[in-house]
Amino acid sequence: MWLWALLLGLPLLWRWLSRLRLRPLSPNPFATDGQKPLAPLVTDTEARKKVLKQAFSTSRVPERLDAVVIGSGFGGLAAAAVLAKAGKRVLVLEQHTKAGGSCHTFRHDGLEFDTGIHYVGRMEKGSLGRFILDQLTEGQLDWASMASPFDVVVLEGSGGPRKYPMYSGEKAYVQGLKEKFPQEEAAIDKYMELVKAVGRGASHVVILKMLPLLVVRFLSRCGLLTRFSPFLRVATQSLAEVLRQLPASPELQAVLSYIYPTYGVPPNHASFSMHALLVHHYLHGGFYPRGGSSEIAFHTVPVIRRAGGNVLTRAPVHSVLLDSAGKACGVSVKKGQELVNVFAPVVISDAGLFNTYERLLPERARNLPGVRAQLSPLRHSITMFSVFVGLRGSHKELGLEATNYYVYFNTNMDEAMESYLRTAREEAPAKIPFFFIASSSAKDPMWEERFPAHSTVVMLFPTLYEWFEEWQKEPSGKRASDYEALKTSFTDASLAALMKLHPQLEGKVDSISAGSPLTCQFYLASPHGECYGIDHDLARLRPDVLASLRAQSPIPNLYLTGQDVFTCGLMGALQGALLCSSRILQRNLYRDLMQLQARLYAATAPDHHK
């Protein structure tokens, strides 16, 4: 409780500091409820293009900007939307042809595929995460609850596949595990106690990033951080270590570790705190936005534009501009063969730490001690290969469910991953350690209305950027035949796994499209084609590193947002945006949001005294 009291008291400290600097606090962006009645789904292609695909031109750059944001992933859009709600005029610049980052969707052979948002937890009405998103999208995101079980773990073996369903709701989730492992009920109970304690402590990371670094270092030296925070206490313990200590059998360890692909680090190198955060996030099941994941960006962009800002695509930022004092003062945008300077007193980067510091900063700023110190313990996260499958028939006709499948071929997940990554690329397709297999067409209640008699499946599995790096300089869509042959070998291995899991899909495939790390690099501008930003390994989850990865960069007036500030995923990017805009506005936006939620709840709660 002392940590929450400290968090809620931060506005007093900021108010005092702002008085010293003669700077008033910014307006509260959450002073009033921003939700509106839910409008019908917009399916008109031209109407959606006007929101998501407005190309950069100097005539579309608003005058007197308050801030410019690099990148339109949700971390960038959410930060811009918060500032817009505070009356700020913000320009968001996106290098791709469509806004949204990993929230964007694409069409292939007439069907729509999602790219990064496959499901989200904690979107039930009344949850804080749902409330925050409703405020930033004016209540226009409608979330469909996935069927239970929402995930199924498949362990392939010589005796055939063994399936372990993960049910929605804590009671059903635990009961499902105990039915499969009746001899290990005590280990399961102990695991769930740890997960809940650590998951509830995620707010401690927010506090860690909002406190002055000097205070964090003092608390760390006194041992107070790990003493009072379960999250920070086990942040440097590996998932594998905690599971062995339960103790759990190898098979139970594998099942309890199943969700690690959602953050990309296998058990030996994964922080138990990061793992527990994800498990806790999905305890009440999964949710999917009605109309597809592009709805997230589609309903955030208008909030930015109504405040006088804009979101422009085809606007690759070449560099961050610094003034003579070394302060960020704008960005340089590549327009054809020319560079166009866009000036603003605040620059926000949603491009990730490695991109921002190693590519976008001028040479004189890249080697500043503060910049090098932030990057030194970090590394690029793992890359993923994606396979997009179009199918004839509705999801009901094809027997597809809104359930995600995690298929593993070895209960020793670390051994399988290490062996795979040591393999020559030509042999790698035969040693893929796991597949994530999901169908957005089965999750989206509006799919049948938009794409009748057709379905989709997406498959994800790990890969190495180095296997594809030699073709990096060749233009997308025109790479050499040996690159296409390598992609095809991975795609064929994926289809074989899909047909083994869902044999009823034989003969129903209409189209196949695949994305390598170079595809991700092209569309997301990620340096090594990574989808999780900086790696979520044990080094990143150290309390001192967590504290250092904050919204205020070592460059004055340059701020960071998105998943590298907090953690990966939609909600991680959202927390990064709230931390960023809290810093810029000099407000504790968490406190503002909780106060608004409490007022609205009090206004709508039934009067029990009548």
Side-chain angles (χ1 to χ4, degrees):
M1 290 302 295
W2 72 274
L3 282 167
W4 269 116
L6 185 58
L7 175 60
L8 296 178
L10 281 172
L12 298 177
L13 175 62
W14 276 342
R15 186 180 297 276
W16 179 71
L17 289 172
S18 67
R19 284 174 180 167
L20 285 181
R21 299 171 186 167
L22 303 177
R23 279 197 322 201
L25 287 172
S26 299
N28 179 3
F30 303 111
T32 58
D33 184 13
Q35 299 178 81
K36 298 178 181 178
L38 189 65
L41 183 71
V42 177
T43 58
D44 180 73
T45 303
E46 291 305 312
R48 296 186 72 83
K49 281 183 179 179
K50 288 179 181 178
V51 175
L52 298 174
K53 302 183 76 170
Q54 191 171 122
F56 176 84
S57 69
T58 53
S59 63
R60 288 173 171 167
V61 174
E63 296 180 354
R64 300 184 302 280
L65 286 171
D66 294 299
V68 60
V69 179
I70 306 167
S72 72
F74 192 64
L77 289 178
V82 172
L83 296 180
K85 287 173 68 66
K88 306 296 183 183
R89 189 172 296 183
V90 186
L91 174 65
V92 181
L93 298 171
E94 168 58 48
Q95 59 95 29
H96 184 29
T97 59
K98 182 184 289 188
S102 291
C103 296
H104 89 273
T105 57
F106 72 95
R107 295 283 183 103
H108 180 71
D109 282 358
L111 297 179
E112 182 180 277
F113 294 89
D114 54 22
T115 57
I117 303 297
H118 305 296
Y119 65 142
V120 179
R122 301 280 173 174
M123 283 296 111
E124 63 274 13
K125 283 189 176 294
S127 70
L128 181 59
R130 170 73 177 266
F131 179 76
I132 298 171
L133 282 177
D134 281 346
Q135 293 304 314
L136 296 184
T137 61
E138 301 182 320
Q140 298 307 299
L141 278 181
D142 194 12
W143 294 90
S145 178
M146 290 169 57
S148 183
F150 59 96
D151 286 339
V152 171
V153 185
V154 181
L155 299 182
E156 291 282 359
S158 56
R162 304 182 303 283
K163 296 184 178 181
Y164 304 86
M166 300 295 162
Y167 296 102
S168 304
E170 183 184 335
K171 185 176 180 181
Y173 190 96
V174 172
Q175 187 59 36
L177 286 171
K178 289 182 176 180
E179 286 176 1
K180 292 292 185 178
F181 298 95
Q183 305 303 315
E184 299 190 76
E185 291 191 359
I188 292 168
D189 285 337
K190 188 175 180 181
Y191 170 78
M192 292 308 300
E193 287 175 14
L194 287 170
V195 163
K196 288 189 291 182
V198 173
R200 287 193 296 263
S203 58
H204 303 164
V205 183
V206 173
I207 298 163
L208 199 67
K209 293 174 181 292
M210 294 178 81
L211 286 172
L213 274 173
L214 286 175
V215 174
V216 173
R217 290 173 184 140
F218 171 76
L219 294 173
S220 181
R221 281 197 299 270
C222 297
L224 293 174
L225 292 178
T226 53
R227 180 181 175 188
F228 290 100
S229 171
F231 186 100
L232 299 175
R233 187 160 54 247
V234 295
T236 53
Q237 276 189 277
S238 75
L239 169 61
E241 179 186 357
V242 171
L243 295 180
R244 285 193 297 266
Q245 290 173 355
L246 289 177
S249 65
E251 190 155 320
L252 179 57
Q253 288 183 45
V255 172
L256 296 180
S257 302
Y258 88 92
I259 206 167
Y260 89 78
T262 58
Y263 55 87
V265 185
N268 277 343
H269 305 284
S271 161
F272 182 76
S273 291
M274 183 66 213
H275 183 80
L277 184 64
L278 265 295
V279 174
H280 191 258
H281 179 69
Y282 287 111
L283 267 186
H284 296 286
F287 295 80
Y288 191 79
R290 293 178 190 267
S293 58
S294 64
E295 286 292 283
I296 298 167
F298 184 74
H299 292 296
T300 309
V301 171
V303 176
I304 300 164
R305 288 184 176 152
R306 272 195 283 279
N310 211 345
V311 178
L312 300 177
T313 62
R314 299 179 185 271
V317 172
H318 177 265
S319 62
V320 174
L321 299 174
L322 303 182
D323 64 17
S324 58
K327 298 179 180 180
C329 60
V331 297
S332 176
V333 182
K334 192 172 182 181
K335 177 67 172 173
Q337 299 302 312
E338 297 181 355
L339 293 178
V340 178
N341 290 339
V342 176
F343 295 99
V346 168
V347 177
I348 301 170
S349 179
D350 189 34
L353 258 75
F354 283 111
N355 255 343
T356 304
Y357 289 164
E358 296 185 338
R359 187 177 69 83
L360 297 179
L361 281 184
E363 188 67 36
R364 61 191 169 108
R366 292 177 193 175
N367 294 315
L368 289 174
V371 170
R372 302 319 306 172
Q374 275 200 346
L375 287 180
S376 62
L378 307 175
R379 63 178 189 173
H380 299 273
S381 68
I382 196 168
T383 60
M384 289 285 184
F385 194 102
S386 307
V387 177
F388 306 96
V389 184
L391 300 158
R392 291 189 305 278
S394 69
H395 70 91
K396 290 181 180 179
E397 293 168 344
L398 296 175
L400 290 172
E401 300 170 336
T403 302
N404 303 313
Y405 288 86
Y406 290 78
V407 182
Y408 291 93
F409 300 95
N410 187 338
T411 55
N412 190 327
M413 296 174 173
D414 287 279
E415 180 182 86
M417 179 69 86
E418 290 166 10
S419 173
Y420 172 65
L421 297 179
R422 286 196 305 265
T423 303
R425 68 186 182 191
E426 293 78 13
E427 300 169 11
K431 299 184 71 173
I432 296 170
F434 71 79
F435 288 99
F436 171 82
I437 302 174
S439 173
S440 57
S441 60
K443 296 172 188 174
D444 180 10
M446 306 302 295
W447 178 272
E448 191 65 23
E449 182 181 316
R450 297 190 295 141
F451 305 101
H454 288 84
S455 300
T456 60
V457 165
V458 62
M459 305 179 69
L460 302 174
F461 58 90
T463 187
L464 274 179
Y465 174 72
E466 288 75 12
W467 289 340
F468 299 88
E469 188 175 12
E470 70 177 83
W471 299 289
Q472 186 268 332
K473 293 184 179 179
E474 296 181 11
S476 178
K478 298 179 181 179
R479 294 191 173 104
S481 59
D482 47 355
Y483 168 77
E484 295 299 333
L486 182 60
K487 281 179 64 177
T488 299
S489 65
F490 279 109
T491 302
D492 290 345
S494 305
L495 286 177
L498 176 62
M499 295 308 162
K500 186 173 183 180
L501 180 68
H502 294 307
Q504 75 275 17
L505 300 182
E506 287 280 3
K508 302 295 184 180
V509 175
D510 259 353
S511 65
I512 303 170
S513 176
S516 76
L518 300 187
T519 311
C520 194
Q521 185 182 56
F522 178 77
Y523 288 109
L524 296 181
S526 50
H528 289 179
E530 63 270 45
C531 51
Y532 298 130
I534 53 179
D535 201 35
H536 290 67
D537 59 4
L538 287 165
R540 175 179 175 172
L541 270 290
R542 285 189 348 229
D544 61 314
V545 177
L546 278 175
S548 72
L549 297 176
R550 49 183 56 210
Q552 175 63 66
S553 81
I555 309 297
N557 299 340
L558 174 62
Y559 298 84
L560 305 170
T561 184
Q563 62 182 357
D564 282 1
V565 175
F566 198 78
T567 61
C568 61
L570 182 76
M571 298 311 292
L574 174 60
Q575 303 309 316
L578 288 173
L579 289 164
C580 176
S581 24
S582 287
R583 182 68 181 176
I584 293 169
L585 296 175
Q586 294 290 290
R587 295 193 67 94
N588 183 341
L589 295 177
Y590 290 92
R591 183 174 184 270
D592 294 336
L593 281 160
M594 287 187 285
Q595 287 181 338
L596 175 60
Q597 188 180 37
R599 288 201 307 273
L600 295 179
Y601 177 79
T604 56
D607 188 344
H608 297 292
H609 299 287
K610 289 183 179 179

